[in-house]
Amino acid sequence: MYVEDDLGSFTLDDYSDITLEHLKEFEIQGFTDSEHELDFVRLILAKSPVLKKMMVFPHYFFDKNNDSSSFTLDDYSELLFCSPCASPVVEIIVGRYKSDYSCSW
């Protein structure tokens, strides 16, 4: 049974000694529907008291899945907006695939 401070496969109590007290902006590109990635992003939110902006951009294939049982970007946005958050002023941006970076291959 999960309590309010649970994050997927672990709880915030598991990381009670961590505080990201200098992190002001966080951006992740290539986000997938992995539970571990969502847990990581939620941990950043919960442990960053001066965070002003969090930007999450999915992998190209993230929204291409037609499987009705899979999560959508809107589902993940809602999960992030409802997650424990240490910063009272953080702006959470969940965008579409960001194509302004290039691959080396």
Side-chain angles (χ1 to χ4, degrees):
M1 178 176 188
Y2 291 118
V3 293
E4 185 175 303
D5 67 350
D6 282 339
L7 298 176
S9 58
F10 60 90
T11 68
L12 290 176
D13 290 338
D14 295 334
Y15 296 90
S16 61
D17 59 334
I18 294 175
T19 302
L20 304 169
E21 43 192 60
H22 300 288
L23 184 64
K24 293 181 182 176
E25 285 194 13
F26 176 82
E27 180 175 330
I28 185 168
Q29 296 180 11
F31 185 77
T32 67
D33 58 356
S34 161
E35 183 177 344
H36 298 294
E37 287 184 16
L38 179 61
D39 288 347
F40 173 70
V41 171
R42 292 178 71 198
L43 180 66
I44 297 295
L45 269 176
K47 296 295 185 170
S48 305
V50 297
L51 189 64
K52 295 189 185 307
K53 184 183 278 188
M54 171 174 276
M55 297 167 285
V56 179
F57 298 101
H59 186 273
Y60 172 73
F61 295 110
F62 188 87
D63 255 353
K64 304 294 183 196
N65 191 343
N66 293 327
D67 182 2
S68 62
S69 66
S70 65
F71 276 79
T72 65
L73 275 183
D74 291 338
D75 295 330
Y76 281 107
S77 295
E78 186 175 333
L79 283 172
L80 291 179
F81 293 135
C82 295
S83 295
C85 184
S87 172
V89 297
V90 66
E91 174 186 12
I92 302 172
I93 299 165
V94 179
R96 298 287 175 212
Y97 171 69
K98 191 174 180 180
S99 62
D100 65 342
Y101 60 94
S102 59
C103 296
S104 59
W105 41 270

